[in-house]
Amino acid sequence: MTGWLIFFGTVLFILAVLMIPVRAVADYKESFSLKIKFLFFFSKTVFPMKEKEKTEKPKEQKTEKTAGEPKKEKRKMTVEEIVDMIVDCVKKYGPGAKMILRNIRFHRLELYWKVTAEDAAACGIKYGKICGWISGVFGFFRNLIKIENPKIKVFPDFLSEKDEIYGGADIEFNPLIVIIGALRMAFAFVKDVVKNNRTKSAKPRKTIKTKESASA
């Protein structure tokens, strides 16, 4: 009996802790930083992580092939690609994703975007496309997320050579609802994978005619 009481007491304690709101403070200016705050005493920087001391490893001798081959640089995803990927994920796994988003509250949302291009005409066209894209994305998320006093500023700069994006957000969410929503998304993902595998296996295989059957 005491074992069951301890078990249920532990479960209730974990649920009570998970129902306490968590605050995340994100900022971006040349580099991204993310800090998690819980209650009044816990605060931890999640990103960037502290670099651990690297142990020196013996250098391996490079072969002529590896030494001569140029290193392929990985292309970084743009802001538009990241946000569009999130929007597609919300549309695909609606119930779970919307459950998470409706639980989120933005106490601060700031975005400053300096738009540049090769010439004035190209800069104007690019500026118009970015404004239209931001308006559509913001309208999509505004229906799901509670956003307090957003500050979004996009402006063209005809003299600079490189775009500049910086901003930040102060986000509050309930961990328990996020976990439940994530489980619903995972269940929907597994369901889609099983469905796709069944449709692939159900497709009739193409029969290859042999020369004998063709001559007959």
Side-chain angles (χ1 to χ4, degrees), residues 9-214:
T10 305
V11 171
L12 290 173
F13 175 75
I14 293 171
L15 290 175
V17 172
L18 290 175
M19 290 179 68
I20 299 172
V22 175
R23 215 174 182 111
V25 181
D27 287 291
Y28 179 82
K29 190 173 183 180
E30 296 181 356
S31 62
F32 179 75
S33 65
L34 178 63
K35 184 182 288 186
I36 300 295
K37 296 181 179 180
F38 184 69
L39 294 175
F40 300 100
F41 56 89
F42 181 81
S43 179
K44 185 177 181 181
T45 301
V46 179
F47 192 88
M49 297 176 68
K50 292 182 179 179
E51 294 183 359
K52 295 181 180 179
E53 294 181 359
K54 297 180 180 179
T55 56
E56 294 183 359
K57 294 182 180 180
K59 295 181 180 179
E60 297 178 357
Q61 293 181 353
K62 293 183 179 179
T63 59
E64 293 180 0
K65 292 182 179 179
T66 55
E69 291 178 355
K71 292 182 179 179
K72 294 181 180 180
E73 294 183 358
K74 293 182 180 179
R75 189 181 71 86
K76 293 182 179 180
M77 294 181 69
T78 61
V79 177
E80 296 97 314
E81 289 174 344
I82 295 171
V83 176
D84 289 340
M85 185 176 65
I86 295 171
V87 172
D88 292 338
C89 185
V90 173
K91 290 179 179 178
K92 191 172 183 180
Y93 306 108
K98 289 177 181 178
M99 182 180 182
I100 294 173
L101 292 175
R102 289 195 180 99
N103 169 52
I104 295 173
R105 181 188 292 273
F106 277 81
H107 296 286
R108 174 179 67 95
L109 178 61
E110 298 175 351
L111 174 63
Y112 299 92
W113 193 331
K114 184 174 72 175
V115 182
T116 62
E118 296 177 356
D119 52 40
C123 185
I125 294 169
K126 184 179 177 181
Y127 169 74
K129 287 181 178 179
I130 290 174
C131 287
W133 175 79
I134 289 176
S135 178
V137 170
F138 186 75
F140 176 80
F141 284 107
R142 189 70 184 265
N143 295 326
L144 299 170
I145 302 173
K146 297 175 183 178
I147 304 173
E148 300 173 359
N149 301 321
K151 295 178 182 178
I152 299 174
K153 186 178 180 181
V154 183
F155 55 94
D157 192 332
F158 302 105
L159 301 176
S160 300
E161 297 179 354
K162 189 178 179 182
D163 286 18
E164 288 185 10
I165 303 173
Y166 55 94
D170 193 347
I171 310 163
E172 186 180 1
F173 59 92
N174 189 310
L176 182 61
I177 296 176
V178 171
I179 292 170
I180 295 171
L183 290 174
R184 292 180 69 180
M185 290 178 67
F187 177 76
F189 174 75
V190 173
K191 192 176 178 181
D192 285 346
V193 171
V194 173
K195 186 178 179 181
N196 291 332
N197 290 334
R198 285 180 179 176
T199 52
K200 286 180 181 179
S201 60
K203 286 182 180 179
R205 295 180 180 178
K206 293 180 180 180
T207 56
I208 302 172
K209 293 182 178 180
T210 59
K211 291 182 179 180
E212 294 178 359
S213 60

